[in-house]
Amino acid sequence: MTTHPTTAAATAEPLVSAHAAADARVLVGRPLREDAGPSPRFGDDVWKMAAAYHLPNHHKGQSTILFTTIGDPVWRLTAKEYAYCRLTKITEGCKRLPSVVTVCREFRELRKLFVFLAERRPGLRLRDLTDDTVLDAFLDDRVAGIKPELQPQERGRVKWFLTLLFRTRGSITTTGWRDCPGAAGPRSTSPASGRRRT
């Protein structure tokens, strides 16, 4: 997969995480297969995490995150911090840590959000999301072209991801969401209905 050109903008914002050291192991505390190598470190641009996935018929690509597919260094740091938080901390509203495959799927959704913002609202950062307008537009874009009967389920899935992203804001250096008025933040990132396992 190539880097999306609209996510490759230069920036002067800080690129050092305030929440994870570059040498922090991203699979810390997870049982690893006996034949596994060392855990990826936060500073790596490729996280190969198959060692922490134990189900049969698993393709290694399903548990690999290529941060090199995000050209913008701020978005790349945000993606790393989100993935690291999800891998190492139980998120509010969740009962346990998600599988590495789940986190890889969430990374792909996060990248779609970054591409959407770069194309529709160039220069906008997560800290600039102070109301529902942009996130509602993203939700509409994500269900466009899907059969009408499947749209509520897909919209709910993407909204749950946005909820998780908002709930991990305290572990992301550049969001600024912690300063948004109101405890719940933008409505589109308020807790989705129904129970989720991760």
Side-chain angles (χ1 to χ4, degrees):
M1 183 182 296
T2 58
T3 302
H4 195 284
T6 60
T7 62
T11 178
E13 297 187 52
L15 302 180
V16 177
S17 174
H19 305 282
D23 62 351
R25 296 189 181 275
V26 304
L27 300 179
V28 62
R30 290 175 179 261
L32 304 180
R33 297 202 314 266
E34 293 182 358
D35 59 344
S39 165
R41 297 180 184 273
F42 181 85
D44 298 340
D45 281 333
V46 178
W47 292 3
K48 296 181 179 180
M49 302 181 290
Y53 198 69
H54 302 270
L55 295 181
N57 302 319
H58 168 63
H59 189 278
K60 290 184 178 180
Q62 295 175 305
S63 57
T64 299
I65 296 180
L66 301 175
F67 293 103
T68 52
T69 60
I70 301 177
D72 186 306
V74 172
W75 286 145
R76 186 181 296 189
L77 176 61
T78 297
K80 282 188 174 184
E81 290 180 322
Y82 173 82
Y84 181 77
C85 179
R86 292 284 287 141
L87 287 166
T88 59
K89 301 177 183 177
I90 298 178
T91 307
E92 175 191 350
C94 302
K95 296 181 178 180
R96 56 180 177 272
L97 294 175
S99 72
V100 294
V101 172
T102 294
V103 175
C104 289
R105 286 197 297 265
E106 292 173 3
F107 165 79
R108 292 192 292 271
E109 197 63 54
L110 182 59
R111 185 175 182 275
K112 290 175 183 177
L113 174 62
F114 293 162
V115 171
F116 175 85
L117 292 175
E119 292 178 343
R120 305 289 184 88
R121 299 291 298 272
L124 192 75
R125 297 295 185 186
L126 293 180
R127 63 171 175 264
D128 302 318
L129 301 177
T130 56
D131 60 39
D132 302 332
T133 306
V134 175
L135 294 180
D136 282 342
F138 174 66
L139 287 168
D140 292 340
D141 183 76
R142 290 292 291 115
V143 301
I146 297 177
K147 293 181 179 180
E149 61 270 23
L150 300 179
Q151 288 186 7
Q153 179 179 359
E154 179 65 7
R155 191 179 184 90
R157 184 189 67 79
V158 178
K159 187 172 181 179
W160 175 244
F161 158 72
L162 293 174
T163 300
L164 294 172
L165 178 59
F166 178 71
R167 290 178 179 176
T168 59
R169 67 195 183 281
S171 296
I172 298 178
T173 300
T174 60
T175 62
W177 271 357
R178 72 190 71 186
D179 300 322
C180 285
R187 174 172 51 80
S188 292
T189 54
S190 61
S193 60
R195 294 183 177 179
R196 302 279 178 160
R197 292 192 302 169
T198 58

